[in-house]
Amino acid sequence: NAGVTQTPKFRILKIGQSMTLQCAQDMNHNYMYWYRQDPGMGLKLIYYSVGAGITDKGEVPNGYNVSRSTTEDFPLRLELAAPSQTSVYFCASSGVNTGELFFGEGSRLTVL
Amino acid sequence: EDQVTQSPEALRLQEGESSSLNCSYTVSGLRGLFWYRQDPGKGPEFLFTLYSAGEEKEKERLKATLTKKESFLHITAPKPEDSATYLCAVPNTGAGSYQLTFGKGTKLSVIP
């Protein structure tokens, strides 16, 4: 039982490049979330999903896209990377509608 | 706007020196307050959920309490392994799913 798995752990992008952060969970959770965490700031919700085929915007969605084709996977797409997207990204999942989230170990992204 | 404020930002304790961390919130119709622990380079790990004023939860040297406006995380006789950043979070007002607003955290350092 791996929980929530994120890849890659580290990535450096050039301005304007695109990439996808992968997230997979093996707990059969319906709810999945993407947060970003910047130094000295709280976790900010980017996108979330309440089940396969259903996604919605969080607090800071601009510059990102998501999809949820299966219960297990919730990839986050960055289009046209900008320095402001330099951050640590966390994927999380939860079972029934609850604030008890299970987080991955994070993906550290640097845009230069 | 829902807000979560944690204090202090950082706290240094000697091993065995008990203290408390504070989390104050402004949200209508609280649907739970959640405490997480985050170790450096890791994702947050769920600790407690509190739902109503007067409720208390305990885990080893940690005890979380809740009033109508704030929550406290009491640390009794801390050990160096309790060093971490402690985050609190509340669900956004009116959100259909558990979209959490996180505080910025309190970084706890326990010195041997």
Side-chain angles (χ1 to χ4, degrees):
Chain A
N1 190 339
V4 178
T5 303
Q6 292 185 234
T7 56
K9 287 186 168 29
F10 302 94
R11 182 72 186 269
I12 297 175
L13 280 182
K14 294 183 179 179
I15 294 172
Q17 287 186 321
S18 300
M19 75 159 298
T20 299
L21 299 177
Q22 301 292 342
C23 174
Q25 53 92 7
D26 61 1
M27 296 172 283
N28 201 32
H29 284 167
N30 285 329
Y31 295 84
M32 295 189 75
Y33 308 84
W34 275 106
Y35 284 88
R36 61 175 287 173
Q37 186 175 41
D38 300 304
M41 304 295 292
L43 289 153
K44 300 293 185 184
L45 182 64
I46 305 171
Y47 269 95
Y48 67 97
S49 170
V50 300
I54 306 169
T55 63
D56 208 345
K57 296 177 181 179
E59 184 181 358
V60 290
N62 291 344
Y64 307 95
N65 276 301
V66 294
S67 60
R68 184 96 182 270
S69 57
T70 67
T71 299
E72 294 77 21
D73 300 299
F74 191 41
L76 178 71
R77 177 89 177 155
L78 281 74
E79 304 282 1
L80 299 175
S84 60
Q85 293 177 304
T86 294
S87 188
V88 181
Y89 292 84
F90 289 99
C91 179
S93 72
S94 66
V96 295
N97 201 1
T98 171
E100 181 181 343
L101 306 185
F102 293 81
F103 283 85
E105 300 228 321
S107 297
R108 183 177 295 273
L109 175 67
T110 302
V111 182
L112 300 173
Chain B
E1 179 182 321
D2 300 329
Q3 288 201 346
V4 179
T5 304
Q6 292 188 246
S7 62
E9 289 184 13
L11 182 63
R12 282 172 64 94
L13 298 174
Q14 290 293 129
E15 185 171 0
E17 179 187 2
S18 302
S19 187
S20 296
L21 314 181
N22 178 264
C23 172
S24 62
Y25 59 89
T26 56
V27 61
S28 302
L30 184 69
R31 295 182 293 136
L33 184 139
F34 304 88
W35 282 99
Y36 286 81
R37 170 190 170 126
Q38 186 174 22
D39 293 305
K42 303 289 187 181
E45 179 184 356
F46 171 77
L47 290 173
F48 302 111
T49 306
L50 301 165
Y51 284 108
S52 55
E55 188 175 359
E56 299 182 352
K57 293 277 181 71
E58 286 190 65
K59 181 178 181 179
E60 296 182 358
R61 294 174 292 283
L62 300 177
K63 182 168 78 172
T65 61
L66 182 65
T67 72
K68 288 187 178 178
K69 297 239 169 121
E70 57 192 350
S71 177
F72 294 93
L73 186 64
H74 308 277
I75 303 175
T76 302
K79 298 183 177 182
E81 53 262 43
D82 296 320
S83 297
T85 297
Y86 291 86
L87 307 172
C88 70
V90 297
N92 295 349
T93 300
S97 65
Y98 271 73
Q99 302 173 48
L100 296 180
T101 293
F102 281 84
K104 296 179 181 180
T106 294
K107 184 176 181 179
L108 174 66
S109 301
V110 182
I111 313 303

